[in-house]
C-alpha cells in the first residue's frame, strides 16, 4: 500500500498534492507551503532545513534549462543569432524558470524522500483539519 502510494507520489507531487495521500494541497500560494497536509496530516518539512536540497536541485535544473534554451536558439539561428533577444531574454529566463519550478521542486523532493523513507506514524497529526 505504502509502496504503490509512493510510486504515485511523483504524479501527485506534479499536481502539487501530497505525495503520501494524493489528496491534500501542499501550497497555500505559489511560495507558501503548508506545514502539514490538510488531508492526511503528514508533516511536510520532515526535519530542519529539509527543503535545502530541493532548492539546490531547483536552481540546477532551472539554470540548465536556461542554458539549453539559449544554446538551442544559438544553434537554430546561427550565423545571425538574435543577440538583442538573448541579451535580455536569458537573464529573464534565469530568474523566471526557478520561480516557476519552485513549488514543483519542493513537492518532488518530498515525493522522492517518501519513496526511500516512508512516513512514520509520529509524522502524522491526527487532528489535522480536513
Ligand atoms: Zn496527505
Amino acid at each position: 500500500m505504502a509502496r504503490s502510494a509512493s510510486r504515485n507520489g511523483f504524479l501527485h507531487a506534479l499536481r502539487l498534492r501530497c505525495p503520501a495521500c494524493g489528496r491534500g494541497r501542499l501550497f497555500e500560494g505559489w511560495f507558501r507551503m503548508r506545514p502539514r497536509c490538510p488531508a492526511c496530516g503528514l508533516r511536510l518539512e520532515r526535519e530542519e532545513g529539509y527543503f535545502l536540497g530541493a532548492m539546490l536541485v531547483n536552481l540546477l535544473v532551472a539554470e540548465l534549462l536556461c542554458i539549453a534554451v539559449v544554446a538551442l536558439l544559438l544553434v537554430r539561428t546561427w550565423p545571425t543569432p538574435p543577440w538583442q533577444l538573448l541579451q535580455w531574454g536569458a537573464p529573464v529566463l534565469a530568474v523566471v524558470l526557478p520561480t516557476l519550478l519552485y513549488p514543483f521542486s519542493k513537492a518532488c523532493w518530498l515525493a522522492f524522500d517518501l519513496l526511500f523513507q516512508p512516513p512514520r506514524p509520529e509524522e502524522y497529526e491526527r487532528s489535522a483539519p480536513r
Side-chain angles (χ1 to χ4, degrees):
M1 159 90 183
R3 190 163 180 86
S4 67
S6 295
R7 282 198 184 133
N8 290 329
F10 281 102
L11 295 176
H12 299 315
L14 290 175
R15 291 173 46 237
L16 301 181
R17 301 287 174 152
C18 172
C21 71
R23 291 177 291 141
R25 289 175 180 262
L26 295 177
F27 287 84
E28 292 172 334
W30 197 254
F31 297 105
R32 192 161 171 202
M33 189 176 225
R34 297 174 196 271
R36 291 186 175 274
C37 170
C40 69
L42 175 69
R43 190 177 58 232
L44 300 177
E45 187 164 0
R46 300 182 81 191
E47 59 192 61
E48 186 76 27
Y50 181 69
F51 289 111
L52 201 62
M55 297 300 93
L56 179 68
V57 170
N58 177 30
L59 206 59
L60 200 71
V61 168
E63 299 316 320
L64 286 176
L65 267 174
C66 183
I67 290 168
V69 167
V70 168
L72 190 68
L73 193 64
L74 278 174
V75 167
R76 297 289 295 242
T77 58
W78 200 260
T80 56
W83 292 117
Q84 195 81 15
L85 173 70
L86 286 170
Q87 181 182 354
W88 296 104
V92 167
L93 204 59
V95 172
V96 168
L97 276 177
T99 307
L100 284 178
L101 297 177
Y102 177 83
F104 299 101
S105 67
K106 285 180 98 169
C108 286
W109 183 263
L110 182 61
F112 186 75
D113 188 42
L114 288 173
L115 198 62
F116 294 100
Q117 279 188 312
R120 297 178 306 271
E122 64 267 22
E123 289 183 89
Y124 287 96
E125 183 180 72
R126 285 293 154 215
S127 60
R130 299 231 53 175

